[in-house]
Amino acid sequence: MNPFDLKAKIALVTGASYGIGYAIATGLAGAGAKIVFNDINQDLVNKGLEAYKAEGIEAKGYVCDVTNEAQVNEMVATIEKEVGTIDILVNNAGIIKRIPMHEMTAAEFRQVIDIDLNGPFIVAKAVIPSMMKKRSGKIINICSMMSELGRETVSAYAAAKGGLKMLTKNIASEYGEYNIQCNGLGPGYIATPQTAPLRETQADGSRHPFDQFIIAKTPAARWGNAEDLVGPAIFLSSAASDFVNGHVLYVDGGILAYIGKQPK
Ligand code: NAP
Ligand code: GCO
């Protein structure tokens, strides 16, 4: 038996029209999983469906705001009717707001917490009952370096991702007896639209200061690509990780292990 084989498994990846979610979903499909995904509007879902089709993946897409419990419950019920019980949930949908905390409104703080922490709770809560009945399930929460570290301007995001790490551990604790494993995947700094502002080439043609900073902080001396997350996601989605529970697997090129390169 190939412990990484996902044939006959149904995987829901949230916010997966592009970016990290899309890369993870295509990887899970490559391992045999049937992909269902959602995004915030029909245009994004259509964009995702075209992209998956171009890769030869017959995905099903749904418009669903992960912060809206009624929409989430309806999406999960529709998936269970149209496709089948969800075996693998990847809570990927997320946003970031980079604003100095003393300038951030409470509404802005709440919006990030709502999408990045309440959303994973709502979607996990919707899929767990069927996983309990099946006595099998995989939940993967996309955490972050900010599940462990802070930095200027990302207070809401760090609070959400720190909370998501503990939600991951609690789901693992509460549902392990149903053979449900819940783990975190903690990407380092990944080149996606979300981090594009941190990598913009400067007017004088030089690299963005933050870009240079991350290169110096990463032993691999490069930004991650969304594809770097595919193998770890397949591992956490498969039988190969049936005794891994409540763990956050950091895929960061070594950032969390490294004090950083001395400036020249
Ligand atoms: P991204 O490019 O911004 O994609 C996020 C996706 O989630 C987008 O499709 C977005 O739709 C969707 N989304 C946002 N709010 C939603 C909602 N309420 N309901 C449903 N979908 C929603 O982000 P990414 O870089 O791929 O990151 C994906 C995940 O990895 C996020 O949780 C992020 O925090 C995490 N992460 C990213 C990095 C990194 O360096 N990129 C590192 C660590 C962790 P819209 O296009 O409408 O926003
Ligand atoms: C930032 C970045 C990071 C990454 C990621 C790191 O502004 O610091 O957006 O937060 O998105 O979460 O793991």
Side-chain angles (χ1 to χ4, degrees):
M1 272 290 283
N2 170 6
F4 298 95
D5 186 349
L6 299 181
K7 261 198 264 337
K9 299 290 186 186
I10 296 168
L12 168 61
V13 186
T14 66
S17 295
Y18 63 90
I20 286 172
Y22 174 79
I24 287 176
T26 54
L28 299 184
K34 167 75 181 163
I35 298 304
V36 293
F37 74 100
N38 73 294
D39 222 307
I40 195 77
N41 60 49
Q42 193 61 54
D43 286 349
L44 277 173
V45 169
N46 293 343
K47 170 183 169 182
L49 287 170
E50 276 166 38
Y52 287 117
K53 198 166 168 65
E55 298 273 343
I57 298 168
E58 284 304 309
K60 284 184 85 68
Y62 302 85
V63 177
C64 175
D65 176 346
V66 295
T67 67
N68 183 318
E69 191 162 21
Q71 284 185 21
V72 168
N73 291 339
E74 186 187 348
M75 173 179 69
V76 170
T78 304
I79 291 168
E80 291 186 346
K81 197 165 62 190
E82 290 181 352
V83 188
T85 303
I86 293 163
D87 301 291
I88 301 159
L89 166 63
V90 180
N91 272 316
N92 167 78
I95 65 165
I96 191 167
K97 287 187 181 299
R98 300 184 183 97
I99 305 167
M101 194 179 106
H102 66 285
E103 296 171 9
M104 182 181 272
T105 66
E108 287 166 331
F109 187 92
R110 282 197 198 95
Q111 186 190 7
V112 175
I113 297 290
D114 206 15
I115 295 168
D116 293 7
L117 181 55
N118 294 344
F121 159 75
I122 289 169
V123 184
K125 181 188 165 200
V127 305
I128 280 172
S130 296
M131 290 181 173
M132 288 168 75
K133 280 198 201 86
K134 202 170 182 179
R135 298 198 73 84
S136 166
K138 297 283 186 181
I139 297 173
I140 299 157
N141 293 322
I142 306 299
C143 295
S144 161
M145 295 288 92
M146 275 61 218
S147 298
E148 302 294 342
L149 303 169
R151 81 173 187 87
E152 299 77 6
T153 75
V154 296
S155 58
Y157 184 82
K161 293 298 187 179
L164 186 56
K165 178 175 82 167
M166 284 315 302
L167 177 64
T168 298
K169 291 175 185 274
N170 214 78
I171 293 172
S173 305
E174 193 163 4
Y175 296 99
E177 67 178 284
Y178 297 95
N179 188 34
I180 296 168
Q181 292 84 47
C182 181
N183 292 287
L185 190 60
Y189 278 82
I190 311 295
T192 70
Q194 190 245 53
T195 55
L198 306 175
R199 292 177 282 109
E200 270 167 9
T201 304
Q202 304 300 282
D204 64 4
S206 64
R207 296 177 79 148
H208 191 294
F210 196 87
D211 181 358
Q212 297 177 51
F213 170 69
I214 290 303
I215 299 297
K217 286 288 282 180
T218 310
R222 68 171 175 88
W223 284 69
N225 300 305
E227 289 69 30
D228 288 319
L229 300 164
V230 168
I234 292 170
F235 168 64
L236 291 177
S237 300
S238 71
S241 62
D242 279 355
F243 205 53
V244 178
N245 201 16
H247 183 71
V248 179
L249 177 55
Y250 287 100
V251 186
D252 66 353
I255 294 177
L256 286 176
Y258 186 37
I259 194 169
K261 191 174 291 303
Q262 178 182 340
K264 284 196 178 65

